[in-house]
Amino acid sequence: MAHGNEPADPLARGIFATARQSWGDLFRWKQRVVVANEIGESHTEWHSPERLRNPISLFMMLTAKDWIYFLVGLFAWTADAFDFHALAIQTVKLSNYYERTKTDITTAITLTLLLRSIGAAVFGLLGDRFGRKWPMVTNLIVLGLLQIATIYSATFEQFLAVRSLFGLFMGGVYGNAVAMALENCPIEARGLMSGILQQGYALGYVLAACANLGVGGGTDTWKTVFWIASGLSISAGLLRCCFPESKQFTVAKEAGRHISAGDFWKETKIMLAKEWRMCVYCIILMTWFNYYAHTSQDSYTTFMLESKELPNDAATRASILMNTGACVGGTIIGYLSQFIGRRRAIVGAALISCCLVPAWILPTTEPGLSASGFMIQFFVQGAWGVVPIHLNELSPPAYRSTFPGLAYQLGNMVSSPAAQIVNAISESHFVTSKSGKLVDGYGPTMGIALAIVAVGIAVTAALGPEKRGRSFERAGPAGANIHGDVKKDVDNLSISDSKVHCAIELEANQSKV
């Protein structure tokens, strides 16, 4: 098993040993990878990162089928984000409609985020057990119907009940959408495609803000935005019906493999016993990330309306430009992560966003707030752009629907009070506006919260593992591997493993000739 790369120490075992090794590897340009061959032999090497490639050439690596699956996954995630932000950007309207405080309205956001983790667990397991298609279709169509139910909620209590159910079904979309979009992407293109995919969240915000701008600032106009959200979700569900099941499930079915419930749960128990530390780490990382997003976005429109005293159309335009920066940053930094590494990209983006906080909250004009919002979200969502592929690479290969979605939504559950906390603190502390009036202190509250969270993300990512370029294409669905060598499917393979397999096949062919 001699290769030209420099040998490295084996991967550390244990939480503190892994943290020390990860911290040291962060400052070494080469990546520590585990090389395995067909017969199970493995060793650890240092590999230099691949050179940056022209994004156009990376796009061309995807087949037409790959593009269809990616775009449908992106559309589903965008529709999901539109559904969520349709409420967040209309907090003031809903506050007037139901005659409640803005903090009361954000209770609906808290309930949605709390229950998303349950939906992620249920629909993620269904996706890994029965396939990505029908759990995802069910999620999206029910979400659309619940948006309509929100419109017809006559009382605030009915509104909260419907939004709670909404959170339950919303939780199942992310894991299945990410798995569908990325599981067939070529290894070299994953960083770029991950960055684009994650920006479905920011794109959903931009579209919701455009809809809000189009309907105007009247109290009842929030219902029109919810009708649009309903149409997008149902359309995404119906579109997913038009395409076949995930390749791994199709292959398993054609091979005649029957996956019993016993096989599925037996492999799940083995995976949890082996990977529980990784599960806990990813939940902590995603808790930080969800605080990062919600403290910087959910109350930003309210901040401009209440603290900066901008009119509704100006605040909405600034929000649109802010999330345009998110789309651009997520794509660029996700692309760069393929070269500089997932953790370096996350740490760098988080620390830069921390430094930009004063420029983010101090401007008082629409152009100033638009420019500073663009830059802060360039790096906030830039760090987020690495998340889909980073979670997929850290996931056990057979659980790429359950694991990323559940880690993401459990992080959402822990961070669910973020909007309420920001609103409650802001409404109890006041600052002087440019007109000389005392206004709610959204700026200092959001700025301090974002700085704390950004440092937390940087530290957590710096001390955590990375499996950039991990090979998971050959893994069967959960439960299909139980009769074989499970260790082969719940593995630590890296980008180099595909190269080793190719070399072995080439040598075998040459020997035949």
Side-chain angles (χ1 to χ4, degrees), residues 81-98:
F82 188 108
D83 290 343
F84 177 77
H85 291 302
L87 188 152
I89 65 173
Q90 298 187 105
T91 300
V92 175
K93 292 182 186 179
L94 287 161
S95 174
N96 294 331
Y97 182 83
Y98 286 108

Side-chain angles (χ1 to χ4, degrees), residues 1-20:
M1 292 181 62
H3 301 281
N5 293 302
E6 178 187 352
D9 293 334
L11 294 178
R13 296 183 178 275
I15 295 173
F16 295 106
T18 298
R20 283 195 299 271

Side-chain angles (χ1 to χ4, degrees), residues 58 61-62 70 181-198 330-331 334-338 342 385-390 392-394 400 467-474 493-495 497-498:
L58 297 177
M61 296 178 69
L62 276 71
F70 177 82
L182 294 180
E183 64 187 356
N184 294 316
C185 280
I187 290 174
E188 297 86 344
R190 286 183 194 160
L192 176 62
M193 303 312 290
S194 171
I196 296 172
L197 175 66
Q198 181 57 34
T331 301
Y335 165 60
L336 292 175
S337 76
Q338 193 70 28
R342 313 296 187 212
V386 185
V387 166
I389 192 57
H390 190 42
N392 257 256
E393 289 171 338
L394 294 179
R400 293 192 313 279
K467 297 181 180 179
R468 176 173 29 135
R470 185 183 192 184
S471 178
F472 43 56
E473 289 78 0
R474 292 181 304 280
L493 293 181
S494 67
I495 191 171
D497 109 340
S498 60

Side-chain angles (χ1 to χ4, degrees), residues 1 36-41 488 501 504:
M1 292 181 62
N37 63 16
E38 294 278 2
I39 59 176
E41 297 175 330
K488 280 187 177 180
H501 292 318
I504 291 172

